[in-house]
Amino acid sequence: MTITRRLFNTGLAASAATPFALLAAAVARAEKEAAHAMSPELTEQLGGKRDGHLALLLYPQFTALDVFGPHHMFINLWGEKTHLVAKTADPVPTDTGVLIQPTTTFADCPEDLLVICVPGGTLGTLAAMQDEETLSFLQDRASRARWVTSVCTGSLVLGAAGLLQGYRATSHWLTHDILPELGATPVKERVVVDRNRITGGGVTAGIDFGLSIIEALRGRAYAEMVQLFAEYAPDPPFNAGTPETAPPEATAVLTEMFEGFIDDTREVAQTAMTRL
C-alpha cells in the first residue's frame, strides 16, 4: 500500500488534525515504506514527537492578512501548537472589521515559545506601540523565544519594546525609514533574518515570512512541502508591489495619503526610544 493510500485509509478520521499531522501519522505507521518514498531527512522531519509553541499577537485593528498568512504556514508544523494571543479572551477586531477569537491570553500564554510574532497595522499599531501591557508581554516572551519576529509594521511594535536595537530589520515600505528611530538598521528585503530576529515586509510578505519560519524550524524540504500544499506560486497581474516597480503616481498618492500616519508613527517611535 502506498503512503498516500495509507494516509487516507488511516488518518482522515482525525478531522481536527492538519494535513501534515495526518501525513506524519502515516509515516509513523509505515516507516519502511516512507524510507523508500521520501528522503531520510524529510521522513525525520515528519516523524517524531514535538511539543513547542508559536504565538501570534492580536491587538485591536491589526492587519488581518499579517496574521492569516503566517498562521496558515504555522499550523502545518506537525507536533507544534500555534496560539493567537491577546490581552483578554474577547474577540479582537481587525482593520477590516473581521473579529478574531484569541486562543489564549497574555496571562495564560506559554512562557517559553519557539516563535513570537507581531503583525502590523496603522492606527492599531500606533496604539500597540504605546501600550505598556503589550510591550511588557513582548519583552518577557522575547527574552526566552527562539525566534522574535514580525510582519509589516509589526516591526515597529518590536522596536517600541526595545527588541530591534542593533538588529537589521524590515517593515512596510511606508514606514521603512522609521526603523532607525527604533535603533534598527533598515534593509529593503522581503524577509530579513538577523540572529534570532526575523522581520517580514508589508502584508503579503507574511506568507514568505511564514515559510522562512518553517524552514528555520524544520528545514527546506519540509518548507517546500508546505509551500506546495498551499499552492503558493505568486504570479500577480501587475508588477506594482513595491515603490521601485509601481507607477510613480501610485507611490505618490499612497505616500501623501499616509503622510499624517507616518509623522505620528515617527513621533511615537522617538518617544518610545526616550522611554527605553
Side-chain angles (χ1 to χ4, degrees), residues 190-244:
R190 197 157 170 84
V191 179
V192 175
V193 182
D194 186 350
R195 289 158 284 175
N196 79 325
R197 304 299 197 259
I198 303 182
T199 52
V203 192
T204 61
I207 299 175
D208 300 52
F209 157 83
L211 286 171
S212 297
I213 291 291
I214 299 292
E215 181 183 21
L217 294 176
R218 297 291 177 84
R220 178 167 178 168
Y222 193 100
E224 287 175 334
M225 286 187 62
V226 173
Q227 179 178 357
L228 177 59
F229 178 69
E231 199 173 349
Y232 179 52
D235 185 19
F238 315 111
N239 186 22
T242 70
E244 291 75 23

Side-chain angles (χ1 to χ4, degrees), residues 94-224:
T94 71
D95 59 356
T96 60
V98 175
L99 295 175
I100 305 300
Q101 180 64 55
T103 61
T104 191
T105 63
F106 287 0
D108 294 331
C109 181
E111 294 187 355
D112 298 309
L113 299 170
L114 289 175
V115 177
I116 179 68
C117 178
V118 183
T122 51
L123 298 182
T125 301
L126 282 180
M129 290 174 70
Q130 301 173 80
D131 186 82
E132 291 297 335
E133 191 174 352
T134 297
L135 299 180
S136 294
F137 169 78
L138 289 175
Q139 290 164 347
D140 177 75
R141 295 310 192 270
S143 68
R144 294 180 300 277
R146 184 183 302 181
W147 298 102
V148 178
T149 73
S150 65
V151 177
C152 197
T153 56
S155 57
L156 303 181
V157 183
L158 286 182
L163 298 173
L164 287 183
Q165 294 185 58
Y167 287 90
R168 299 164 67 250
T170 191
S171 187
H172 191 285
W173 65 269
L174 281 166
T175 58
H176 201 258
D177 292 341
I178 297 176
L179 288 170
E181 305 279 359
L182 296 163
T185 300
V187 179
K188 289 188 176 181
E189 294 178 6
R190 197 157 170 84
V191 179
V192 175
V193 182
D194 186 350
R195 289 158 284 175
N196 79 325
R197 304 299 197 259
I198 303 182
T199 52
V203 192
T204 61
I207 299 175
D208 300 52
F209 157 83
L211 286 171
S212 297
I213 291 291
I214 299 292
E215 181 183 21
L217 294 176
R218 297 291 177 84
R220 178 167 178 168
Y222 193 100
E224 287 175 334

